[in-house]
Amino acid sequence: MDGDPVVEPELDTFSLILPLPYRVAVILVLGVWAWAVNLHYLAILRIDVAGLIRYSSRTTVAGPSHHYRTYRLAALISIPLAISLLLFWSVTHGQTSLVLAWEILPQSYLVLLALLFILPLQRLSKAGRYRFLTILKRVSIGGIAEPQDGKFGDILLADVLTSYAKVLGDLFVAECMLLSRKYSSTAKPDRSCGGAYLVPIIISIPSLIRLRQCLIEFLRVRKSMKQSGGSISTGWGGQHLANALKYSSAFPVIVLSALQRGYDPNKIGMSEAGLFRLWLFFVFLNSFYSFYWDVAKDWDLTIFSSTRERNNPEHPWGLRRHTHFHTKEMYYGAIVVDLMLRCTWSLKLSPHLDHFNDLEGGIFVMEFLEVLRRWMWIFFRVETEWVRVNRGPLSDDILLADYAIDNNKLDFD
C-alpha cells in the first residue's frame, strides 16, 4: 500500500497529523475529561449527581470523590494516547506512505482503550466503569430503567450517545477500513465503507434509542393512568410523544445527508438543488425543535413560555425561580451557545465556508463542537433535575414525580 498512487495523494495535512482512528480516540478521551469537570463543578454546587443517577459511590466517607476518580481515569487513558501519538509522529514524519503503513499504532490504542474500560482493574474506577457498561448495555437496545433504579442516568447516557453519533460512525469506518484489503484505516476515510447506507444507519442508532425510550415512558404513563382510573395529576404523557417526535426529526436529516454525499440523479429523481433545499428544511426543523426542547423542557427555562411566566418578578427574565448557578448570565450565555452550536450546519449557506463540513478537519471540528455543546448541556440538565427532585416536577412527567432521593437508601461501597 505504500506505493499506491491513488490512495496516497488523497491524504490532506490534517489526516497526516491526526488520522481517523486517532480523531475518534481523542474525542472519546475528551468525553471522560468533560464528565470529570461536570462532576467536579456540580459537586461544588452541592448537587448530588450520584444520588440522581442512583450510583453507589465510596467505600468510606473519606474516600476519593467521584470527580477525583474520574479525573484519575481520564489521566490514565490519556497517557498511553499521548505516547501513541508522539510515537506515531516520530515514525511517520508526515509522510503519506508511512502514515498508511503505521495504522497499527492508532488501532492498538483503540483496543487498549476498550480493554481499560472492560477489564476489572480496581485502580481504574472499577465500580464506575462497571456501572457505565451496565447502563450502556441497557440503553443500547433502547431500554430505560425505572426511576428508582436510575432512569435519569439512562437518559443522560443515551443523550450523550446522540452527540457522539458521528463519532461512532467514524469508529465504524475506521474499523471497516482496517478489515478491508483495499484501504489502510489511516487513509482518507471512506464513509461508504460497508455500503452506502450502513454508516447512516449507525449514526441513526442513538436517535432510535432515545425514540424507543420516549415511547416506553409514554406507555408507562398510560399504564399508570389506567391503574389510577384515568385520573392523574401529572398529565397524559404527551410530552414524551413530543420528545419522541424531536428524535424522529433527525432521521430525514441523516438520510438526505447520505443522498447528497452519493448524489445520483438517475436514482434519486430530484435535482441536487432540490435535494439540498429539502435537507435544509429538515435540518432547520430538527435544530430549532431541539433548541426549543433544550431550553424549555430539559432546562425548564421560561424564555419560550407565556409573557406572564417569562416576566415573573420571582425570577430573572426568561429563567426560573430556583437556580443553582451563580449568575443569570450563565443561563443566558448557555442559551446563546446552545443555539449557535445547534446551527453549525448554517456554514453550508456561506459562499466562503460551504465546503468546511466536507473537509476532514472541518468534520472533526464539528464533532468536537457537538461534544462541547453536550458537555455544557449536562450542567444545566443535571441542575434542572436536582431542582425537580427537591422542589417538585413539572406536570406531564409522572416518572420524575415518582422519583425522590433517599440518602438513607444510597449504598456507599
Side-chain angles (χ1 to χ4, degrees):
M1 182 173 293
D2 292 358
D4 191 331
V6 176
V7 175
E8 291 185 6
E10 293 183 347
L11 278 180
D12 55 25
T13 302
F14 183 78
S15 297
L16 291 173
I17 297 173
L18 204 63
L20 185 64
Y22 274 132
R23 292 176 229 162
V24 173
V26 166
I27 293 184
L28 290 175
V29 171
L30 284 176
V32 181
W33 282 104
W35 178 237
V37 175
N38 286 138
L39 293 175
H40 193 174
Y41 188 71
L42 291 168
I44 292 173
L45 297 179
R46 299 186 181 277
I47 293 177
D48 183 13
V49 181
L52 289 173
I53 64 176
R54 292 291 178 171
Y55 170 61
S56 299
S57 55
R58 308 177 191 176
T59 53
T60 64
V61 175
S65 61
H66 303 294
H67 58 268
Y68 174 82
R69 291 181 175 186
T70 310
Y71 280 132
R72 184 172 61 185
L73 174 62
L76 288 173
I77 62 177
S78 297
I79 292 172
L81 175 59
I83 294 173
S84 179
L85 272 170
L86 291 173
L87 181 59
F88 181 81
W89 293 334
S90 66
V91 298
T92 61
H93 304 290
Q95 298 180 22
T96 301
S97 59
L98 294 175
V99 168
L100 297 175
W102 282 93
E103 64 177 338
I104 185 65
L105 287 177
Q107 291 291 346
S108 296
Y109 177 76
L110 289 175
V111 172
L112 175 63
L113 183 62
L115 290 176
L116 289 176
F117 271 89
I118 295 172
L119 294 178
L121 303 175
Q122 188 65 41
R123 290 185 60 83
L124 288 180
S125 303
K126 177 182 176 181
R129 288 183 294 113
Y130 176 78
R131 179 61 184 272
F132 168 77
L133 293 174
T134 300
I135 296 176
L136 182 61
K137 180 180 178 181
R138 180 166 57 241
V139 305
S140 64
I141 56 172
I144 184 169
E146 294 288 348
Q148 67 275 11
D149 297 324
K151 167 205 160 189
F152 182 59
D154 289 12
I155 292 175
L156 277 184
L157 179 57
D159 273 325
V160 167
L161 289 177
T162 63
S163 292
Y164 270 86
K166 291 184 179 180
V167 180
L168 295 176
D170 279 352
L171 176 61
F172 169 80
V173 169
E175 301 313 309
C176 178
M177 292 174 67
L178 175 67
L179 299 175
S180 172
R181 295 180 179 180
K182 297 168 56 180
Y183 308 104
S184 165
S185 61
T186 50
K188 180 180 179 180
D190 176 15
R191 291 185 170 82
S192 63
C193 188
Y197 301 105
L198 191 52
V199 172
I201 289 173
I202 292 173
I203 292 175
S204 300
I205 289 175
S207 294
L208 283 169
I209 289 172
R210 283 298 287 129
L211 172 62
R212 185 170 187 266
Q213 287 181 331
C214 292
L215 295 178
I216 289 174
E217 290 187 272
F218 171 74
L219 293 176
R220 286 176 179 175
V221 172
R222 303 302 294 176
K223 181 179 178 181
S224 296
M225 287 187 66
K226 289 182 179 180
Q227 293 175 347
S228 62
S231 174
I232 189 165
S233 60
T234 49
W236 61 279
Q239 182 162 299
H240 299 306
L241 288 182
N243 201 13
L245 181 63
K246 181 194 73 173
Y247 291 106
S248 299
S249 69
F251 302 137
V253 178
I254 296 171
V255 172
L256 291 170
S257 296
L259 292 176
Q260 287 185 90
R261 183 173 293 112
Y263 177 72
D264 185 347
N266 297 322
K267 293 181 179 180
I268 298 175
M270 180 184 296
S271 69
E272 193 168 6
L275 188 63
F276 177 76
R277 285 192 290 268
L278 189 60
W279 170 85
L280 190 61
F281 168 78
F282 280 107
V283 76
F284 182 91
L285 176 65
N286 173 258
S287 297
F288 283 92
Y289 192 176
S290 299
F291 169 67
Y292 162 78
W293 200 274
D294 289 341
V295 174
K297 302 299 182 180
D298 289 339
W299 299 346
D300 287 351
L301 304 182
T302 59
I303 193 171
F304 294 118
S305 302
S306 64
T307 302
R308 180 179 179 182
E309 188 173 359
R310 188 167 53 246
N311 295 319
N312 191 326
E314 293 184 352
H315 58 71
W317 183 89
L319 303 186
R320 48 177 149 78
R321 182 178 180 183
H322 301 291
T323 58
H324 288 267
F325 294 107
H326 300 305
T327 65
K328 62 183 180 181
E329 286 76 18
M330 294 181 69
Y331 294 88
Y332 296 137
I335 293 171
V336 173
V337 172
D338 191 70
L339 175 61
M340 293 174 60
L341 296 184
R342 282 287 188 186
C343 296
T344 52
W345 52 266
S346 61
L347 291 175
K348 287 193 174 184
L349 304 180
S350 169
H352 303 292
L353 300 173
D354 57 333
H355 292 296
F356 181 76
N357 288 343
D358 298 323
L359 302 174
E360 289 304 318
I363 293 172
F364 177 77
V365 170
M366 292 298 103
E367 291 175 351
F368 171 78
L369 289 177
E370 172 55 23
V371 171
L372 179 66
R373 187 198 65 80
R374 182 62 65 182
W375 170 73
M376 180 196 71
W377 176 91
I378 286 175
F379 284 113
F380 295 92
R381 180 64 184 90
V382 173
E383 183 239 15
T384 302
E385 190 73 7
W386 184 252
V387 171
R388 290 175 180 177
V389 167
N390 290 279
R391 303 290 183 175
L394 299 178
S395 61
D396 203 26
D397 201 340
I398 185 174
L399 297 182
L400 288 174
D402 288 343
Y403 177 69
I405 292 180
D406 183 353
N407 289 325
N408 294 326
K409 293 182 180 180
L410 288 177
D411 178 22
F412 293 99
D413 61 303

